[in-house]
Amino acid sequence: MDAYEVRGRLDVIEEEEAADEDAFVMVQDSPDVFCGDCGVLTVRGAAAHVSHALVTLAAGAQQMKDQLSKSRSKLSEKIIEMENFASNLEEIFITVEENFGRQEQNLEQHYNEVLQTLSQRNEARAAALDEQKNDKLERLYGQLLRCGQTLDASKELIESAQEVHRRRDKRAFLQAVMPIMKRVEQFAREEVDLKLGASLDFDVPTTDLSDVRQMMESINVLPAPSAPVMNPQIANSATETSLHVCWSLFSDDTVEFYELYWRLISDDCTMETPQEVCQLKVKETHCTVSDLLPNAQYELWVTATNTTGISPASERAVYMTVPSPPVIKARQCVSSLDAALIRWDSGNTNPVESYTLEFQEASADGESTATESIVAIPSCECLVQLQSWKRYIIHIRAVNIGGPSDRSPPLHISTTGTFFHLLEDTAHPSLSLSADGLTMFYLDEDLPISHMTFSDNTFNRCVAVLGDLVPIRGQYYWEMEVDESAEFRVGVAYEDTQRNSYLGGNNTSWCMRHILTPSRHKYEFLHNGWTPDIRITVQPLRIGVFLDYGRGILSFYNAALRQHLYTFSCQFLHYVHPCFALDNPGALTLCTGLTAPPYVAQP
Amino acid sequence: MRRLHESRVLNMNRLTKLFDKPQMVFTYINSELKRSLFVYRSAMALTQVSSNKCCDGYQKVFEHDSSELKCKMKFAIYLPPKAESSKCPVLYWLSGLTCTEQNFITKAGSQQAASEHGIIVVAPDTSPRGCNIEGEEESWDFGTGAGFYVNATQEPWKTNYRMYSYVTEELPRLINSNFPADPEKMSISGHSMGGHGALICALKNPGKYKSVSAFAPICNPIQCAWGQKAFSGYLGADKSTWELYDATVLAESYSGPELDILIDQGRDDQFLSSSQLLPDNLIAACSKKKIPVVFRLQQGYDHSYYFIFSFINDHIKHHAKYLNA
């Protein structure tokens, strides 16, 4: 009975039920109650059903309807099951057909091979026999020829002898007879080789049919597996020192185990011998390979083995381990109220694809806050916009095809002020910096010029150094502490300010200058060699510098007194850098990270 | 004042109910009115002379009877927009020789900066007027228009020529009670003779003024012709009395809260070259006593109001730093 028949039966039941309902209706006149126990209509008070459960017709009808629908639903479920089974069977039919087809193909192939081999052997053998035959025939023929020749020669001899014999002339006869007799005797003495040159038998070599036998045997045996296929590297499955390798087998072959091979691909062309190949025996179609180098490419391939033999090797796949985490260069990072420029070391000898910068607010109570990321950074520095008056924690990851590295050690940034450092490679050789990079000294020693190493980037006349700032046109504030006797120049300059001129003496730098004369302190505010005439009665020992790109101003303050000293008005065409110089031996200390005091930042 | 008037009106209403004779009521009302007006006038004693809207605020001129100078005095006052809703700090500006309350408000261009920083600027006259003192009109650098901001001790000047007290006491009282001025926040500035006035008011009243600045001030009057003429006239021959009104001498003996003095001086100022101003002396004294001064010698500028106009914004900004702190 198939599904359709069952369904057909069910429809019939429905019809019957409907018909029965009608029947119920027709009989309604006489019976008025329904006996639940017997399941029949009856009259109230009927003796047969006295102790039975009697219900009204309506209730009885409802009960029976409920029962009917329950049985109906059970039947529906059964139908669904059978339908599923039927379709499953269909699939199985198809699979069996397929499998059979495959086996048939396999067998056909095998037998064809065997047949081919046999016919090859046959031909080979026949050819050998043929050769032998030819060989023998040749020899016999040769012999025949020789016999013929010998015969001819003998006949000739006899004829000539007979001729001589018939000669009447006794003298001529005697003259000619001796050599002829000698020749005849010689000839008669010769042995006649009457042996056959070749044997009449054929030498049949035994054909080596062992491989055919083997093939016949292997027909009934499992084939060796076909080559597996290496999967491409799954994203984020690798670590610095391990790879998660996967492969697949696209056939139904039985496999006992796989063998995975890998080798480091080295970019180093000078290595003559290839790296050694490592291998691992694995039962599953995946495995984790460890003890690898970070940020390195490995060549991997796999073979499958069963009782019959080993499959051919798969195509080689290249996997890459994840890079080592970078290291942030804290001394070279700069920040301001609303941005930070982060610089780091790659942490890997080979190049990586890109870097990711992650930053999150540092919360006071150690709660985790949302992390934002900047991805696909091509070089080892990144400018990130931040909110003012907050503390941030910054990490960097290196990324290659294998995935991202672990996070670098963190860097803490406060967007409460201007943080920067001095660019040591711009410093004049006579200027030495303290260990923390914030104090500069012009020492009173006379270094011979030959001892000083200048480069294109160092100041070579003015004993000066540049600082670094976040390359954003915002507001910046920093302070400097100076000795009473220090003759200094402090201010800002373009990054490409002439290294062979004095700060303030050109149009690429603006600075405040202190000159100590025997009678008094002199102050200049230099740009392009020009200064206004300004007298200051109280010597500023702590100088505040305020830079505002938006308003185009550079202001100097006596920070201890909150006294404004001077303001340059200039529209800066490029980014400027803080600059510091000492005209005479002395010291100058930089204070960064300060918030601009309110009297400074107000317009 | 208004409330006073209103309360009297209420009283009158009550009173009218008592009186049944209308005539008596009217005379009573008249006398009440007169009395309230009299109270009004003596309490305020300020009459507005002019009012012009300027930079969203108002430049006004008032006249009043000065008790120190015993005559009617005018002063100019600029009320910034901020003064409509809250109290503002006050900058007192003292003008120089021959000026009245008009020169500064028409020539210096201070209203824009005062409006932006929310500062009231008061500019009084430079000497008592209309006192009919003999000899007051003879010179332009002594007498009328040349009060030198001292309290004169010599006749016939000592009754009226009390500009020091007027500027440091009467005027601030007047301003504080009639305008939305913050009594704790005052600064002072001036030009030439007014610069001298500003400096001595600040040096003689440590802590009274939050900041002080000056344009081409007479820094050392006892050493210059102007000062010697004025002081000998107002203060007599005893030079020790002169020192009480000399900024350089006062600086040398100053002790009090820290000052922050801004001085602008035109390099091409004829009075600088004729040794009337002598700023070097003041600078030397301040350097010695560590009084913070920034003195700017401005190339090409002279003694005129064009010079003041050019740098008035810097000065108002300088004062705003302390007044709005």
Side-chain angles (χ1 to χ4, degrees), chain A residues 489-554:
Chain A
R489 297 176 198 238
V490 292
V492 299
Y494 291 132
E495 205 279 326
D496 56 359
T497 188
Q498 295 86 317
R499 299 292 194 266
N500 60 357
S501 92
Y502 283 86
L503 291 181
N506 48 38
N507 66 352
T508 54
S509 55
W510 295 256
C511 68
M512 168 180 173
R513 182 181 174 198
H514 170 234
I515 303 165
L516 195 54
T517 69
S519 54
R520 63 187 184 97
H521 298 269
K522 228 178 123 183
Y523 296 92
E524 295 183 348
F525 293 88
L526 286 165
H527 172 65
N528 221 358
W530 184 86
T531 175
D533 193 328
I534 296 198
R535 316 275 177 86
I536 297 175
T537 56
V538 176
Q539 183 190 12
L541 294 175
R542 196 176 167 95
I543 297 160
V545 181
F546 179 66
L547 168 67
D548 188 335
Y549 283 93
R551 283 187 270 150
I553 61 173
L554 176 71

Side-chain angles (χ1 to χ4, degrees), chain B:
Chain B
M1 171 279 306
R2 203 169 168 197
R3 257 180 258 127
L4 194 66
H5 187 71
E6 276 171 359
S7 66
R8 287 198 180 267
V9 170
L10 280 168
N11 280 334
M12 274 190 271
N13 284 338
R14 243 182 274 136
L15 285 168
T16 47
K17 292 197 187 118
L18 295 174
F19 288 100
D20 46 6
K21 283 192 184 162
Q23 199 135 38
M24 275 186 76
V25 170
F26 277 127
T27 47
Y28 186 77
I29 289 171
N30 276 338
S31 61
E32 284 294 311
L33 273 170
K34 275 189 197 141
R35 208 185 307 166
S36 61
L37 278 170
F38 176 77
V39 165
Y40 171 94
R41 203 179 270 133
S42 58
M44 295 249 335
L46 270 188
T47 39
Q48 188 172 288
V49 172
S50 69
S51 172
N52 300 83
K53 190 158 189 186
C54 183
C55 299
D56 261 353
Y58 289 90
Q59 181 62 66
K60 295 178 184 257
V61 176
F62 285 90
E63 190 178 38
H64 71 115
D65 277 314
S66 164
S67 52
E68 286 287 346
L69 307 175
K70 307 279 189 302
C71 64
K72 282 201 182 5
M73 283 293 281
K74 289 208 194 102
F75 65 87
I77 179 165
Y78 177 75
L79 296 161
K82 189 174 155 213
E84 285 180 27
S85 51
S86 59
K87 291 204 175 198
C88 297
V90 183
L91 172 64
Y92 289 92
W93 169 270
L94 305 179
S95 295
L97 290 165
T98 77
C99 289
T100 65
E101 81 290 346
Q102 287 295 312
N103 310 67
F104 180 70
I105 62 173
T106 53
K107 294 189 182 182
S110 61
Q111 288 84 350
Q112 183 67 52
S115 170
E116 278 172 14
H117 290 281
I119 298 176
I120 293 172
V121 183
V122 175
D125 202 341
T126 49
S127 73
R129 304 252 171 200
C131 303
N132 282 323
I133 301 170
E134 199 179 319
E136 69 176 359
E137 301 292 339
E138 264 175 30
S139 336
W140 62 275
D141 55 1
F142 183 78
T144 303
F148 270 88
Y149 304 103
V150 301
N151 286 347
T153 53
Q154 303 296 305
E155 291 291 358
W157 314 103
K158 69 180 204 191
T159 316
N160 302 95
Y161 275 70
R162 294 183 56 77
M163 285 302 288
Y164 177 75
S165 293
Y166 177 68
V167 165
T168 53
E169 285 165 39
E170 183 178 357
L171 195 56
R173 264 203 314 265
L174 197 63
I175 300 296
N176 291 341
S177 49
N178 289 292
F179 297 97
D182 185 341
E184 303 296 313
K185 301 255 176 95
M186 292 201 302
S187 288
I188 191 159
S189 185
H191 168 238
S192 188
M193 176 185 74
H196 143 83
L199 289 169
I200 62 167
C201 290
L203 289 165
K204 285 163 79 74
N205 296 280
K208 186 182 176 90
Y209 298 98
K210 294 276 177 272
S211 51
V212 55
S213 74
F215 288 82
I218 303 171
C219 297
N220 201 191
I222 64 179
Q223 303 278 10
C224 73
W226 273 337
Q228 285 158 353
K229 175 175 178 180
F231 287 179
S232 59
Y234 296 131
L235 305 174
D238 182 4
K239 298 224 171 124
S240 60
T241 57
W242 298 8
E243 288 177 358
L244 299 172
Y245 295 102
D246 183 310
T248 303
V249 176
L250 290 165
E252 274 167 9
S253 55
Y254 177 79
S255 69
E258 208 156 59
L259 292 167
D260 184 354
I261 307 177
L262 174 64
I263 301 177
D264 268 315
Q265 173 66 58
R267 196 140 183 228
D268 291 359
D269 187 332
Q270 51 174 317
F271 302 111
L272 177 69
S273 35
S274 60
S275 304
Q276 293 279 25
L277 304 177
L278 305 171
D280 288 335
N281 298 352
L282 178 64
I283 291 170
C286 290
S287 301
K288 210 161 83 175
K289 291 296 283 186
K290 303 262 185 282
I291 299 173
V293 172
V294 173
F295 174 86
R296 314 192 301 186
L297 196 63
Q298 302 287 8
Q299 188 102 354
Y301 287 93
D302 58 16
H303 200 74
S304 69
Y305 266 89
Y306 293 110
F307 168 56
I308 300 173
F309 185 99
S310 306
F311 298 101
I312 190 67
N313 284 351
D314 285 351
H315 284 245
I316 293 184
K317 202 163 128 184
H318 168 80
H319 292 292
K321 191 167 94 182
Y322 295 96
L323 293 175
N324 286 335

Side-chain angles (χ1 to χ4, degrees), chain A residues 556-570:
Chain A
F556 294 88
Y557 293 85
N558 179 334
L561 300 176
R562 303 188 305 155
Q563 182 189 33
H564 168 256
L565 300 174
Y566 184 73
T567 297
F568 286 100
S569 283
C570 34

Side-chain angles (χ1 to χ4, degrees), chain A residues 154 156-162 177-190:
Chain A
S154 315
E156 248 184 66
L157 211 53
I158 289 176
E159 272 182 26
S160 54
Q162 274 187 339
V177 82
M178 287 316 295
I180 289 182
M181 259 190 28
K182 276 206 187 112
R183 278 177 32 216
V184 173
E185 278 175 2
Q186 190 185 27
F187 206 68
R189 244 184 274 140
E190 270 182 30

Side-chain angles (χ1 to χ4, degrees), chain A residues 241-274:
Chain A
T241 52
S242 73
L243 289 170
H244 186 75
V245 191
C246 301
W247 55 89
S248 343
L249 198 62
F250 285 97
S251 61
D252 266 347
D253 305 331
T254 335
V255 171
E256 261 197 24
F257 60 86
Y258 297 92
E259 294 223 61
L260 176 68
Y261 301 82
W262 68 91
R263 185 160 67 92
L264 172 68
I265 301 177
S266 171
D267 284 336
D268 202 346
C269 309
T270 62
M271 293 187 81
E272 301 255 326
T273 54

